[in-house]
Amino acid sequence: MVTPESHTRTNDMLRRIQGEFLEMPGLQLTVAQASRLWGCESGACAQLLASLVEVNFLFQTGRGTFIRVERLPPSRPNAETADDGRTAS
C-alpha cells in the first residue's frame, strides 16, 4: 500500500538521483553501484532507475549501466549561414 510518507520518500529519492546525475556529467552506474551509493535496497533502486528511464531522464545501456540522457538545445538558423549549411558570402 502506498502511503503519503512512502510517496514523499520516493519523490525525495528520485530528486536525489536526478541531482547526482546532473552534478556529475558522465556518471554511469549499475543498479548495484547505485544501491550502494544511495543506501537503497537493490529492488527499490532498480524501480527508481527504471522510472527515470521511463521519463527519458536516464538511459540503460546494453551493459546494464544507467547514464543521463543528454539533450541538445534546438538548433536555430544562423543569419550568417545559408539554408544549405554553407556560410553566406
Side-chain angles (χ1 to χ4, degrees):
M1 182 170 147
V2 176
T3 65
E5 294 82 20
S6 66
H7 184 70
T8 299
R9 279 194 307 268
T10 298
N11 286 337
D12 289 347
M13 281 301 295
L14 287 170
R15 279 192 292 279
R16 181 177 177 192
I17 293 168
Q18 287 176 307
E20 296 280 350
F21 277 96
L22 289 169
E23 289 177 18
M24 293 183 268
L27 180 64
Q28 297 184 28
L29 296 171
T30 63
V31 171
Q33 292 167 329
S35 180
R36 285 191 301 274
L37 178 63
W38 296 307
C40 182
E41 186 270 321
S42 182
C45 191
Q47 288 179 329
L48 291 166
L49 293 169
S51 69
L52 291 172
V53 169
E54 287 178 24
V55 297
N56 294 317
F57 181 79
L58 295 179
F59 173 79
Q60 186 173 15
T61 69
R63 301 175 107 190
T65 59
F66 291 85
I67 59 173
R68 191 178 96 199
V69 173
E70 299 290 331
R71 290 183 178 85
L72 297 175
S75 62
R76 295 191 306 233
N78 185 336
E80 298 177 9
T81 305
D83 288 341
D84 64 0
R86 291 179 292 140
T87 303
S89 327

